[in-house]
Amino acid sequence: DAGVTQSPTHLIKTRGQQVTLRCSPKSGHDTVSWYQQALGQGPQFIFQYYEEEERQRGNFPDRFSGHQFPNYSSELNVNALLLGDSALYLCASSSMGQSQPQHFGDGTRLSIL
Amino acid sequence: DQQVKQNSPSLSVQEGRISILNCDYTNSMFDYFLWYKKYPAEGPTFLISISSIKDKNEDGRFTVFLNKSAKHLSLHIVPSQPGDSAVYFCAASVVGTYKYIFGTGTRLKVLA
């Protein structure tokens, strides 16, 4: 039973570029959440997708956008990258309607030069 | 505004003894709490959760205690093992809001 998978593992970009991160949820899960974890901090909620729609959003600018596909997989897009966007980006999946915890992938380490 | 706080950045415990990790929160609307463990280069792994209608939940060596009046929860690990060495995050949410608010983590080191 595959857990949450994320790609790529590592990514290096320069300021002003755009990036797309990908996530496949755990089998049986239909909801995907994205978090940003800066060094020395806890994960911060970016947004959640369910039924291909953004269901809730954290305190992140519009440069951060996402998408969920019919197979429940998801993408996180970040435009006009800033140095401060350097972080570990975590994807978490869960089943809507059940009080089950979110399961996390191993993340994508994004470095901005 | 840090709604979930873990005031101890690190903790060292001898193998076989009890590890107690603490977490405080400020938002009285939180009604679901979780603990995650994170090893380097891996994502957080769910450990245990508790709903606000309970004050204790046990799962093997792990017990979470919730004190709603003090807005405080703690994770007890008994007995501690070297493999428990990791960063532990507490998280809180309001049921129906879908997002978790995380603390900054406590690095636990269990000494053999």
Side-chain angles (χ1 to χ4, degrees):
Chain A
D1 179 21
V4 180
T5 58
Q6 293 187 242
S7 64
T9 307
H10 295 89
L11 204 49
I12 298 175
K13 291 283 187 179
T14 56
R15 281 178 296 173
Q17 285 190 310
Q18 178 264 344
V19 69
T20 297
L21 310 181
R22 294 176 176 82
C23 171
S24 291
K26 182 180 166 70
S27 178
H29 286 181
D30 55 11
T31 302
V32 173
S33 303
W34 287 92
Y35 291 80
Q36 179 195 66
Q37 186 179 13
L39 206 60
Q41 302 296 315
Q44 280 200 289
F45 177 78
I46 302 174
F47 42 53
Q48 184 181 88
Y49 277 84
Y50 171 66
E51 291 189 337
E52 302 178 49
E53 289 190 0
E54 184 182 291
R55 200 177 171 84
Q56 189 172 9
R57 189 178 184 92
N59 190 24
F60 279 80
D62 291 345
R63 298 187 297 109
F64 290 77
S65 63
H67 190 78
Q68 185 180 35
F69 299 93
N71 67 352
Y72 308 122
S73 67
S74 177
E75 288 181 350
L76 165 65
N77 300 293
V78 188
N79 294 323
L81 287 166
L82 303 173
L83 292 178
D85 294 333
S86 294
L88 179 68
Y89 288 85
L90 294 162
C91 170
S93 72
S94 55
S95 292
M96 185 55 62
Q98 301 179 22
S99 58
Q100 295 294 317
Q102 295 178 9
H103 292 256
F104 284 82
D106 289 340
T108 294
R109 172 72 60 188
L110 176 64
S111 299
I112 311 301
L113 303 180
Chain B
D1 178 25
Q2 191 73 24
Q3 297 186 69
V4 177
K5 299 177 185 178
Q6 293 177 257
N7 292 319
S8 298
S10 64
L11 174 69
S12 289
V13 171
Q14 207 66 34
E15 181 180 6
R17 306 295 290 268
I18 184 172
S19 294
I20 300 176
L21 297 100
N22 294 304
C23 180
D24 297 296
Y25 61 95
T26 57
N27 188 343
S28 58
M29 297 294 292
F30 287 145
D31 53 9
Y32 183 55
F33 304 88
L34 312 93
W35 285 95
Y36 282 84
K37 175 172 72 174
K38 189 178 186 300
Y39 294 120
E42 294 184 12
T45 301
F46 170 73
L47 272 177
I48 192 168
S49 63
I50 188 166
S51 161
S52 61
I53 63 172
K54 295 185 173 182
D55 54 19
K56 177 183 173 182
N57 190 27
E58 275 182 275
D59 185 0
R61 298 186 297 115
F62 302 92
T63 303
V64 56
F65 295 92
L66 176 62
N67 182 333
K68 290 184 288 293
S69 60
K71 294 192 181 69
H72 177 84
L73 68 154
S74 60
L75 174 68
H76 292 208
I77 306 173
V78 182
S80 300
Q81 299 173 353
D84 295 330
S85 297
V87 178
Y88 289 77
F89 292 97
C90 69
S93 76
V94 177
V95 171
T97 63
Y98 316 121
K99 70 177 182 180
Y100 292 170
I101 307 298
F102 282 84
T104 53
T106 296
R107 183 177 300 278
L108 173 67
K109 190 170 184 179
V110 180
L111 306 169

